[in-house]
Structures are given as C-alpha cells and as structure tokens.
Amino acid sequence: MLKKILALLMVVIFVCCGCGKKQDEPMANDLNTILKRDKLIVGVKTDTYPFGFLDKKGHYSGYDAALARIIARGILGSDKKVEFVPVSASDRMMKLYSNEVDMIIATMSITSKRQELLDFSMPYHTAGQALLVKKGSSVKSLRDLNGKRAIIVFGSTVETSLRTAVPNVGVIGYRNYPDAYKALKAGKADAIVADDTILLGMALKDDSVVLLPKRYTKERYAVAFRKGIESRDLIRAVNNVIDIETRKGNLKKIKADYGIK
Ligand code: GLU
C-alpha cells in the first residue's frame, strides 16, 4: 500500500514539475496567445504628436496607432481588435516585460544597446535627431549648445547620445514631450534635442519656435517585442503586414495624412 502511495506521489510530482511535457508540445508563443485572445494589446505614446497622441475625443491617434490597427487587421482580420496601453519613452520596455502589452509601437528607434534586450520588426520610418529653438535664437547647431542648456526626454536615444556629442551642455530632462515643449517656451533652456518628426509636430502648431534643418542621427523606428524565440512567429507576421502595406502604399498615405515626411 505504502509503495503504491509513493508511486502515485512520484507521478503527481513528475507531472506538476512539467517533466511529463511531451517533446512536441508547443512552446510559449506570443502569436498563439494573441490569436487565442483575438485581440492585440499595443503600447503606444499619448504625448508624441503626430505618432502617438489622443485626439479631441480621447481616441488613440497618429501614425503609430494607425500602424497598430493595420497590424491587428493583418493578424486578426479587423482593425478594431486592438487595445491600446499608454507608454512613455522611459516606461515602454518595462510595460513590455511585465506582459502588459504584446508589442510597442512608440517612436522607438533600433539601437544596438536595445537589441540586447529587445527584438525589432523591420523599420517602418526613419527620423533624425534635430534641434527645436525659439525664433531668433543664437543656437544654430548642436555645437552651439556647448556651455548652454538643452532639454531632452528621459528614456529617449538622445538622453544617452547628447553628452557625448556636446560634453559641456547642461541637460534638463522631462518625462514627456509636452512638458519639454513648455519648458522651452518658458525659457528654461536654449533648445529641445529630439527626433525631427516629434519636433516638427510642435513647430507646425507654433510659429514662435523653429526646427533647425540639420539632422544628426538616423533613427529607424520599428515595432519592439520581448526578446526570444516566443516572439519569432509574431515578428514574422508583423513584418509581413508592414511589407504588404508598404508595397500597397498605405503606410505612405497614413504618413501624408499626419504631415510626416
Ligand atoms: N526615437 C527615439 C527613441 O527611440 C526618440 C523618440 C522617443 O522619445 O520615443 O528613443
């Protein structure tokens, strides 16, 4: 009797520990999870016009949100099958790794440092770092910021690159782009350094600020995923959608709608 009980206990422990898993059982796969859920959960910005922002009715808008809807249509058959979660430059990776979102579409550039922690889709847009200054400013280039103050947004690529490019710049960081813009207007610094597309969004609405013409980097925006084999099928599906929609000219059309070049 005791032997029988021991044997039964062994079987229970074996199964509970997952040792009884069949060889051909599928591994965790993010695409399967999304298909089963029948909904895509995407992290997008709400402070980054014209890529991720809320319109007057509080709807998620911009190129990144539109791309998320297109991906939902490609994978799940309807652009309504998407739920948005607001992310910022500094918390987007955390929201991906805490499984709050399936992917991030949030003006995120591919960098080699980020590639150690994330997987990326093919790029869907190329931006470049630039300067936004007040009209009449003596700052005409990145070099002119030496000994002056510049505004950046925490978690953005420029946060790490600016001090290397301009060693004697005083850096003031903000959590989001609207606060960065307000700080420039209030004269807290001489320029905002950020992606041209984001700065253009500010310049288009306000002719007291100027986007300077020079671009200092190439920022290739891509959809970001958790790094690992479980993302492989999902990345393939997303790349497929980006590829098809690019060839159809649909992504170009969306960009034009938002004034993105
Ligand atoms: N593209 C840059 C980045 O990935 C800046 C835009 C942003 O703050 O998200 O960091």
Side-chain angles (χ1 to χ4, degrees):
M1 185 62 182
L2 191 67
K3 259 190 190 169
K4 260 190 189 169
I5 293 172
L6 270 175
L8 197 67
L9 212 63
M10 288 291 282
V11 171
V12 171
I13 291 169
F14 193 69
V15 172
C16 289
C17 291
C19 312
K21 200 172 173 184
K22 285 183 208 142
Q23 285 287 307
D24 56 0
E25 223 169 78
M27 297 181 55
N29 178 317
D30 285 352
L31 179 61
N32 285 345
T33 307
I34 292 163
L35 292 173
K36 243 187 247 165
R37 190 200 299 132
D38 203 24
K39 193 173 38 171
L40 193 66
I41 306 175
V42 183
V44 292
K45 299 267 205 79
T46 55
D47 68 337
T48 312
Y49 180 86
F51 279 82
F53 63 98
L54 299 176
D55 69 11
K56 281 182 190 137
K57 289 182 181 161
H59 295 148
Y60 284 86
S61 301
Y63 182 30
D64 284 345
L67 180 59
R69 291 190 177 98
I70 284 177
I71 292 170
R73 191 175 65 205
I75 294 178
L76 300 169
S78 164
D79 55 11
K80 297 207 165 38
K81 292 184 177 176
V82 57
E83 182 183 312
F84 293 108
V85 173
V87 299
S88 67
S90 51
D91 72 11
R92 55 192 163 187
M93 267 162 76
M94 200 246 318
K95 289 205 171 163
L96 188 60
Y97 270 97
S98 59
N99 285 320
E100 271 183 72
V101 297
D102 298 318
M103 62 187 71
I104 302 167
I105 311 182
T107 60
M108 190 148 198
S109 311
I110 303 172
T111 68
S112 48
K113 215 166 175 197
R114 286 176 181 163
Q115 277 173 321
E116 289 169 16
L117 301 166
L118 301 169
D119 280 333
F120 286 98
S121 70
M122 63 170 72
Y124 63 88
H125 179 71
T126 303
Q129 281 173 10
L131 268 65
L132 187 81
V133 296
K134 280 202 198 173
K135 209 177 224 169
S137 168
S138 63
V139 172
K140 302 281 178 229
S141 73
L142 206 53
R143 232 193 280 155
D144 293 342
L145 285 174
N146 245 313
K148 294 203 160 61
R149 278 180 301 186
I151 295 165
I152 57 107
V153 166
F154 292 124
S156 65
T157 40
V158 76
E159 185 186 1
T160 42
S161 65
L162 185 59
R163 277 205 188 86
T164 319
V166 192
N168 290 322
V169 65
V171 178
I172 310 177
Y174 287 89
R175 296 228 160 270
N176 59 58
Y177 287 98
D179 284 352
Y181 168 70
K182 271 184 227 151
L184 177 73
K185 295 280 287 179
K188 299 231 161 92
D190 302 277
I192 305 177
V193 189
D195 291 356
D196 53 355
T197 34
I198 300 169
L199 298 176
L200 183 65
M202 299 173 189
L204 284 175
K205 290 177 172 176
D206 179 355
D207 59 12
S208 75
V209 293
V210 181
L211 174 62
L212 298 181
K214 183 133 173 68
R215 303 294 175 262
Y216 296 91
T217 58
K218 266 200 160 57
E219 305 284 324
R220 292 179 311 134
Y221 291 1
V223 184
F225 306 87
R226 286 178 282 275
K227 194 170 180 67
I229 196 156
E230 69 272 21
S231 297
R232 204 178 48 193
D233 292 348
L234 181 57
I235 296 170
R236 204 175 291 145
V238 168
N239 278 340
N240 200 27
V241 175
I242 294 176
D243 186 36
I244 290 171
E245 299 296 332
T246 303
R247 278 195 272 141
K248 279 191 199 161
N250 287 343
L251 297 191
K252 217 173 175 184
K253 233 181 272 163
I254 296 166
K255 277 195 206 188
D257 285 349
Y258 286 109
I260 300 165
K261 287 187 189 114

